[in-house]
Amino acid sequence: MSGRLAVGRTVALGILLALSALLLVASKAEAAKYTVAQCGWYVGADADWADTTGGAKFRSDGYCVPPTGADPFGGIHLKSFTRGSGTVSGTRFARWHWSAPPTTGITAVRGTWWHALHDGFEQRLGGVNWTGQFSPSLSAGNTDTALREFSIGFSSPLPAFEDRLLCARGEDKWCPLEPDSWSGLRAVTFTVLDDTPPTALMTGGGLIAGGWRRGNQHVVVGGADGGSGIRFGETFIDGSRVAISEYPCDKVSIGGEWRATRMRPCRTNESTTHWVDTTKLSDGPHSVVHCTADFAGTNVCTGSQQFLVDNNPPAHPRAVSLAGGEGWRRTNDFDLNWENPDQGQASPIAGAAWRFSGGLGFDTGARFAGGRDRRSLADLSVPAAGSYSLQLWLRDEAGNEAANSAVTIPLRFDDLQPKVAFSTENSDEQVKATVGDEHSGPASGQILYRRVDAEQWTELPTKFDSAAAGAAELIAPMPELGVGTFVFRADATDFAGNKASTTLRADGTQMAIRRVPPPPIARAKPVPKGKSRLFARLRGGHGRGDALTVPFGAPALLSGRLMRADGAGLGDRELRVVSRPSRGALLPAGVETVRTGEQGGFELRLLPGPSRRVNVTFPGDGGQEEARREGLELRVRSGVTLRARPRQLRTGQAVSFSGKVKSAGSPIPRRGKLVAIQYLEQETHRWRPVLVTRSDHHGRFRAHYRFRYVSGRAAIRVRATALAEERWPYAPGSSAPVTVRVQG
């Protein structure tokens, strides 16, 4: 027995050294491992005990957790004992069994063992492979009650570990149960490989629900792990940790190291809620990640998920304007427009909040009009006439709004007519009316009057005196009233455009004044007026008389005499001279005055211009009757110029005529002015036409003539004549003659 034990210990020591080397290599590979403490350090045992005889030949005994404050290793043990007397068949055993969680495996075991073994009994320590086969790594076959430490390493992870008390003989042999044999184990530490990563979860919550977020938001997180279980959960925003959860795990701190107290220390599924204070984040997009770690320290993170944050309310609306202006109006309809501030990275404008308040405690309370990037409010109305204050502020899509950023706009509505009434005080000097309007106030007014039997009202110069808020007076001078009854009317308008009229006094009586005619006065018979005689004629050029023709641009002289019927001259009398231009002239009728001399004579120079008719009138005075001289005709010849080129030519050649018709004070006819080119017939000394042409709209004309039948030498005198036409305010006129010499 002792020889086999020595050999067994030597073999076990070699195996232990080999396993230690493997453990060193494994540690360098930085595999995901954790340690489990059993039966020691105030820790119990996560193991099950069984024997192959059904409890008939073996029994167990375990004591692992002393009272608090006692020696944590005082008397602790996990033991298997033989039971009773008699024998037990070979290969029968009792065992303590530890199972690693699924997806994990035991890579090393260290602890303390001791035993009392007799007649074929052995204590064996070893792993159970994936097929359920037990392979001992350490074994002892004799009694050694000293506490001995051991360390076992496995080249590949194993799903279980066992401590067996075994009848180490063949099945056809047996081992005696007396004296008692037993095996002991304590202060065991398992190293478990857990290289299957956990799963990190982010399953919901307001933070990742979409849309814009503000304030405290939650995210539902968790993890799943089929091995050692979930120990930690951490939530990161933009790479910085904002929350951590340490889930409940069965563990103990030993020498500054956390060790599990169960083979699977943590739960396989965990879920919790992490709260995020978004006010500590900048406005705009952010990313959230949740990471989960199992007890072996393997850390896995979810994919990044974006969310949007906005904790700051929008600034106040810009460029706020009220359609129709902020003044008083008589239509209860208000439309508001504004520009939204630049939100930058923050959430877009989701709508506008508003409220308006007025007198007598009226307040609508806060109201909201939704709409992304809303820039207007239409069809607002107030409950009654009066002045109100509208407060307007903005709300973004995250729900942020600040009423203290509101812009205040006045809403002024007045659909009530002003109250107008004439004063009850009688005055011969002025007419007075009062105007009252409690809302927009009186703006203007007018006092009018008419005879009671007339339809047309006459305005009086009215003074508008705004004496106090909401009140004014209309004051007008009393007009010169004739005989009869006169009615007065007062019109008033307030600043909203409401109008009112009245013909009543404040006491409800008609504002009317009656004037009685004075007694008749005898009138003297009128003195008969003397008859007047007026003579007038025209002079100019080489002629004089009732009708006169002058060259273009020449003046004329009007002269004559004003006399009584007896032929005596009427001196220092004013005469009126009216000149009416002929049809087609642009000039209006001219009116001038001239005074007679001591003997009644007068002269007036008539300026150059188109043809005209001149009338002279004496309007009469206190002693003389009216006198007229009408129908004086002043005719003005047309002005024409003419050029001929060449001035010398042969028979068969053509001469070119050009010139211009002058038109002072008159437009050239639309179709042009008729012009005749004439030559002087020497035998009769008469001007004969050569051709007729028209000028352009500016009076310029051109024409050509070919001399075909001239023989010998001839000096031909030609001229241009502007002919008479309808709506041409000039008499026919000719240019100066031009001589053209033709060689036959």
Side-chain angles (χ1 to χ4, degrees):
M1 292 286 291
S2 62
R4 288 198 302 273
L5 179 59
V7 173
R9 286 184 180 275
T10 302
V11 173
L13 182 58
I15 294 173
L16 180 61
L17 291 174
L19 290 176
S20 298
L22 289 174
L23 286 173
L24 288 174
V25 173
S27 66
K28 292 180 181 179
E30 297 183 355
K33 298 178 180 179
Y34 64 98
T35 56
V36 183
Q38 294 284 280
C39 199
W41 308 283
Y42 298 109
V43 175
D46 184 20
D48 61 276
W49 183 89
D51 76 282
T52 56
T53 67
K57 304 296 183 179
F58 298 94
R59 65 181 178 86
S60 65
D61 185 57
Y63 175 69
C64 294
V65 183
T68 302
D71 182 358
F73 296 98
I76 64 171
H77 60 268
L78 288 174
K79 289 185 176 181
S80 295
F81 291 88
T82 57
R83 177 193 292 272
S85 59
T87 62
V88 62
S89 299
T91 70
R92 300 293 189 268
F93 62 90
R95 57 101 173 110
W96 289 95
H97 178 92
W98 286 267
S99 294
T103 73
T104 68
I106 300 171
T107 61
V109 184
R110 66 180 184 273
T112 302
W113 69 331
W114 71 108
H115 34 260
L117 303 171
H118 306 284
D119 294 329
F121 280 98
E122 292 184 6
Q123 181 178 8
R124 294 183 179 181
L125 305 178
V128 179
N129 64 20
W130 300 100
T131 62
Q133 183 179 357
F134 174 74
S135 297
S137 298
L138 293 177
S139 63
N142 58 0
T143 297
D144 185 358
T145 58
L147 300 177
R148 308 286 183 182
E149 293 184 357
F150 68 89
S151 180
I152 303 172
F154 303 108
S155 59
S156 60
L158 297 176
F161 179 83
E162 289 185 356
D163 168 24
R164 290 188 176 186
L165 177 60
L166 169 70
C167 176
R169 293 176 176 169
E171 290 187 1
D172 57 344
K173 297 188 172 25
W174 49 269
C175 297
L177 298 177
E178 291 181 330
D180 290 341
S181 294
W182 53 268
S183 62
L185 198 67
R186 75 173 195 174
V188 181
T189 300
F190 292 93
T191 300
V192 181
L193 174 67
D194 183 2
D195 57 2
T196 300
T199 300
L201 301 172
M202 240 183 345
T203 58
L207 187 68
I208 58 174
W212 290 86
R213 304 285 108 186
R214 66 188 181 101
N216 283 328
Q217 296 291 326
H218 74 286
V219 57
V220 179
V221 296
D225 184 72
S228 58
I230 301 300
R231 183 177 182 185
F232 291 107
E234 296 176 291
T235 298
F236 296 84
I237 291 181
D238 300 333
S240 298
R241 188 174 71 187
V242 295
I244 182 171
S245 293
E246 182 176 3
Y247 298 110
C249 295
D250 296 321
K251 64 185 185 300
V252 64
S253 178
I254 300 173
E257 175 192 14
W258 285 106
R259 298 184 189 178
T261 60
R262 297 180 62 84
M263 298 303 287
R264 174 183 281 156
C266 307
R267 293 193 292 259
T268 57
N269 290 280
E270 291 289 358
S271 178
T272 190
T273 298
H274 282 171
W275 287 89
V276 178
D277 183 3
T278 65
T279 61
K280 297 180 180 179
L281 304 176
S282 62
D283 290 349
H286 297 271
S287 60
V288 58
V289 172
H290 182 70
C291 299
T292 297
D294 60 16
F295 197 81
T298 301
N299 193 66
V300 173
C301 299
T302 64
S304 175
Q305 190 161 340
Q306 189 181 71
F307 64 97
L308 302 172
V309 169
D310 184 359
N311 284 288
N312 296 298
H316 62 80
R318 308 284 198 250
V320 181
S321 64
L322 191 63
E326 297 180 359
W328 287 91
R329 65 184 66 193
R330 54 182 176 173
T331 302
N332 194 4
D333 184 15
F334 298 87
D335 296 333
L336 199 64
N337 296 278
W338 66 87
E339 293 296 328
N340 288 325
D342 183 8
Q343 288 294 91
Q345 290 287 328
S347 60
I349 298 299
W354 57 274
R355 70 188 300 168
F356 60 80
S357 57
L360 303 177
F362 176 79
D363 193 336
T364 62
R367 299 185 180 183
F368 180 72
R372 172 172 275 207
D373 200 31
R374 173 179 282 273
R375 296 169 184 262
S376 63
L377 290 174
D379 302 327
L380 298 179
S381 60
V382 296
S387 179
Y388 300 82
S389 293
L390 172 68
Q391 291 183 308
L392 174 72
W393 65 96
L394 302 175
R395 181 188 298 176
D396 59 29
E397 289 189 358
N400 300 299
E401 61 180 287
N404 57 8
S405 70
V407 175
T408 301
I409 304 97
L411 303 182
R412 299 182 174 101
F413 169 60
D414 183 5
D415 61 346
L416 303 177
Q417 292 181 340
K419 298 177 180 179
V420 192
F422 283 98
S423 173
T424 56
E425 298 179 2
N426 293 322
S427 172
D428 293 333
E429 297 181 355
Q430 63 182 14
V431 183
K432 184 185 295 185
T434 59
V435 183
D437 190 283
E438 63 176 324
H439 297 301
S440 60
S444 63
Q446 181 70 50
I447 295 178
L448 308 91
Y449 79 102
R450 66 175 173 84
R451 285 179 61 95
V452 72
D453 55 353
E455 295 183 359
Q456 189 70 30
W457 290 91
T458 301
E459 293 184 354
L460 292 175
T462 304
K463 177 184 177 183
F464 180 83
D465 185 7
S466 181
E473 284 187 338
L474 304 178
I475 303 172
M478 181 66 72
E480 293 291 336
L481 301 177
V483 176
T485 301
F486 296 84
V487 180
F488 289 79
R489 189 184 85 197
D491 295 343
T493 304
D494 63 19
F495 280 101
N498 300 298
K499 297 181 179 180
S501 294
T502 187
T503 59
L504 302 179
R505 302 177 189 267
D507 58 6
T509 60
Q510 185 83 14
M511 178 57 188
I513 296 177
R514 184 169 180 267
R515 290 284 191 261
V516 179
I521 300 175
R523 294 185 178 182
K525 294 182 179 180
V527 178
K529 293 183 178 182
K531 291 186 177 182
S532 302
R533 299 170 62 190
L534 178 61
F535 297 92
R537 63 181 177 177
L538 298 170
R539 288 187 298 163
H542 301 289
R544 65 181 63 189
D546 296 343
L548 177 68
T549 301
V550 297
F552 182 87
L557 186 67
L558 171 67
S559 62
R561 189 179 182 205
L562 178 65
M563 300 178 295
R564 290 199 298 263
D566 59 3
L570 292 173
D572 197 27
R573 299 295 199 278
E574 185 176 273
L575 306 180
R576 187 169 182 263
V577 180
V578 179
S579 299
R580 299 186 184 278
S582 298
R583 292 184 62 190
L586 293 176
L587 299 176
V591 179
E592 298 179 87
T593 59
V594 62
R595 298 194 76 84
T596 61
E598 292 181 0
Q599 302 300 319
F602 65 91
E603 284 187 352
L604 178 65
R605 187 174 184 272
L606 302 178
L607 297 177
S611 300
R612 70 206 81 163
R613 179 181 291 272
V614 181
N615 299 325
V616 184
T617 303
F618 170 57
D621 56 18
Q624 295 297 129
E625 292 182 349
E626 177 184 3
R628 293 176 178 272
R629 178 66 174 94
E630 298 180 345
L632 299 175
E633 292 287 341
L634 176 61
R635 294 190 295 272
V636 181
R637 296 188 184 279
S638 299
V640 188
T641 61
L642 177 67
R643 293 191 301 273
R645 292 183 182 176
R647 300 282 288 273
Q648 295 183 0
L649 65 161
R650 292 182 177 276
T651 301
Q653 292 181 331
V655 62
S656 295
F657 298 106
S658 63
K660 184 176 182 181
V661 179
K662 300 177 183 179
S663 59
S666 173
I668 298 296
R670 186 178 300 275
R671 294 176 56 197
K673 181 70 190 77
L674 278 175
V675 178
I677 306 297
Q678 301 171 330
Y679 77 97
L680 180 63
E681 187 179 59
Q682 293 182 357
E683 290 81 0
T684 62
H685 294 284
R686 292 180 178 274
W687 290 94
R688 304 292 187 183
V690 175
L691 57 87
V692 177
T693 185
R694 282 188 181 272
S695 72
D696 61 15
H697 194 59
H698 299 286
R700 293 186 291 268
F701 63 88
R702 291 181 182 276
H704 303 276
Y705 182 77
R706 189 177 302 278
F707 293 94
R708 300 180 184 275
Y709 308 107
V710 177
S711 59
R713 293 183 178 180
I716 302 172
R717 299 184 72 191
V718 294
R719 71 178 184 180
T721 300
L723 303 177
E725 282 187 82
E726 185 181 3
R727 301 187 67 83
W728 178 244
Y730 290 97
S734 302
S735 67
V738 175
T739 301
V740 178
R741 301 183 186 278
V742 182
Q743 175 71 43

